[in-house]
Amino acid sequence: MAAVTYSLPGTVLPGYQILETLQDGDATVVYRGLREQDQRPVVIKLLKADYPPIELIMRLKQEYRIPQGLDHPGIVAALSLENHQNHFALVLEDFGGISLRHQLQSGPLPIATFLPVAMHLADILAVMHQQGVIHKDIKPSNIIFHPLTQQVKLTDFGIASQLSHEVAALAAPDALEGTLLYMSPEQTGRMNRQVDYHSDYYSLGVTFYEMLTGKLPFQSADSLEIIHCHVANTPLSPTAVNSEVPEAIAHIVTKLMAKTAEDRYQTAQGLCTDLARCWQDWQQQGTIDSFTPGALDAASQLVLPERLYGRESDTLALLAAFNRTCQGAAEMVLVSGYSGLGKSSLVHEIHQPITQQRGYFIAGKFDQLNRGLPYSALIQAFEQLVQKLLAEPSDRLQLWQANLAVALANQGQVLIEVIPEIETLIGPQPAVAPLAAAEAQTRFNQVLQSFIQVFAQADHPLVLFVNDLQWADLASLKVIERLIVSGEQGHLLVVGAYRDNEVSSTHPLMKVVKKITAIGRSITQMTLQPLSFEHVLAWISDTLNQPQSDRLVALAKLLFSKTQGTIFYDAAGQNAVYRRADCL
């Protein structure tokens, strides 16, 4: 497929002959050419700016460094990193291929072409993951395919990671690392899950979907809608889009695109095995027999499961409260228990249903050393909310700003004085008249409630999580009390967590609880207990991906005797974690 040739700027790079321009983007231009010293075909990726941002330079350097460490025939080789007149250029091998994106412009791949390509890609991921690299941007544009030889190679490691896992930061859709249309739910930053090598499997599943159907599973002009689809929606089966796709292959794609990492393939080797079985059937009989995908899949590295154990009834109660707020209620849930029992982890389990409802989750934590600082946890929470709003597309941000201008009615300075971050959202506000302490407190509560009402609505409920309430100041407790008892607020869920061994019947929190219940408002209360032996055994079985046996029972007994079911047990600095390492 011939590329469009553009006029070239003098000598692009000394020692290289430019043949054509493959791609001309905002920040980079990609050429096809020859290395003059040996006439070797090359692809040159050049940063266009004379003084490019350091982020682009670092990405280009990473694109050069990581492939050298992998040294695999399925990875496009990085030959050199050049600098000519402040223009940084990455020189890559050229084996005569084209991007899979260009190939798919002719339509979906036939099964006889798809399966060999898919097996090559699975093999490449297997080697890459074994060497500790997560690509984070698997998509047809980064897959180079030779139509004649069907040779397949992976390229563009600019945002690849060599960490075992990381947490995706919340950012505007156009600022997220990766390509939104192919991005795993956890990579969007809208899930309570870490990003690890499973994220590549999801992106590969989206790529397979497009290879088989010629269409993406989720398409929308609204970037937030795409994020919502990745997190909450199930796409049509590839077979429903293209009837020539065998059910067995469709099931493989569905497994790759599972919303939670635990439900996807655990290894690329397991995927290779299933694809090889499909290929064998196709070659021998022209059809593919049905089978259960992943039946022979076994994890090759230790990955702690991210699901909760022993908290099923508590999770259901929390979800029920959230569902009631989606219907218009304002509710409070209190989660109590000793330190280290996973109260915060339980509350964070509602991240996904909140995203499904297009809601907002904000959180703050009281600090024992700052007990005299009013509203500390609320300030943290609403600063989070401001950051979430600033990360949204400009048209949606402008809508929020217009709604806030009406709701606050020139009283925004009242909030800015307590939560300065709000000024970045609503801009400078007119001064407000000074009031006596009691009147000023009442005014602040009223303005804050008006602020909250803008976001706690039927089409986007609000969840406020306030942690370590045992250290809460009285002013913050009064704000929480008003939100629940006023009767003016709906679509709001306030979740509080506290250590019950530090809260007596005379604690201010308990007085607030009594006032709320006295007027007939219900509070869902749950007290977490240590995990039972059965839950510890189930966690070990899932972690090791082995059925329960005498050996696993013996290991579980040892662990249980040390921790007594405490989820974040700490002895001499050594932590035993039953959920995930980044919770420590």
Side-chain angles (χ1 to χ4, degrees), residues 324-371:
R324 290 192 292 270
T325 63
C326 291
Q327 301 303 314
E331 288 209 21
M332 186 171 189
V333 174
L334 288 177
V335 183
S336 62
Y338 286 96
S339 174
L341 290 181
K343 299 184 292 294
S344 299
S345 295
L346 170 65
V347 175
H348 282 285
E349 279 300 290
I350 60 175
H351 263 274
Q352 185 168 359
I354 290 172
T355 302
Q356 290 174 339
Q357 295 295 330
R358 292 175 170 79
Y360 293 95
F361 179 96
I362 56 177
K365 181 182 178 71
F366 289 105
D367 190 331
Q368 186 177 17
L369 300 179
N370 292 320
R371 298 180 72 170

Side-chain angles (χ1 to χ4, degrees), residues 129 197-198 201 255 260-271 294 297-301 303 542 545:
H129 290 163
Y197 67 93
H198 294 94
Y201 297 150
K255 186 173 181 64
T260 58
E262 293 90 348
D263 295 330
R264 298 174 203 153
Y265 281 92
Q266 298 306 297
T267 65
Q269 290 91 339
L271 173 61
D297 188 27
S300 60
Q301 52 186 288
V303 178
D542 289 346
N545 195 28

Side-chain angles (χ1 to χ4, degrees), residues 1-44:
M1 184 177 297
V4 178
T5 302
Y6 298 88
S7 59
L8 304 177
T11 301
V12 172
L13 195 63
Y16 295 88
Q17 178 186 353
I18 301 301
L19 301 179
E20 61 177 334
T21 301
L22 297 178
Q23 180 182 336
D24 194 352
D26 294 334
T28 62
V29 58
V30 181
Y31 301 110
R32 172 168 274 152
L34 295 173
R35 189 166 62 184
E36 293 178 349
Q37 68 181 30
D38 55 6
Q39 294 299 295
R40 177 172 183 171
V42 294
V43 170
I44 301 171

Side-chain angles (χ1 to χ4, degrees), residues 52-78:
I54 187 64
E55 295 82 4
L56 289 180
I57 296 175
M58 296 305 295
R59 283 192 178 188
L60 202 68
K61 288 183 176 180
Q62 181 156 287
E63 282 191 63
Y64 173 67
R65 177 180 57 83
I66 290 183
Q68 286 190 319
L70 292 173
D71 190 24
H72 184 269
I75 304 294
V76 173

Side-chain angles (χ1 to χ4, degrees), residues 193 306-312 315 342 345-346 349 579:
R193 292 292 185 267
E306 294 203 73
R307 60 171 60 97
L308 289 179
Y309 293 83
R311 303 289 184 242
E312 292 79 9
T315 301
S345 295
L346 170 65
E349 279 300 290
R579 187 156 184 262

Side-chain angles (χ1 to χ4, degrees), residues 523-545:
I523 297 179
T524 301
Q525 299 194 54
M526 52 186 73
T527 301
L528 302 191
Q529 302 295 333
L531 298 185
S532 68
F533 171 77
E534 288 72 20
H535 295 138
V536 175
L537 177 59
W539 175 80
I540 292 177
S541 177
D542 289 346
T543 300
L544 300 179
N545 195 28

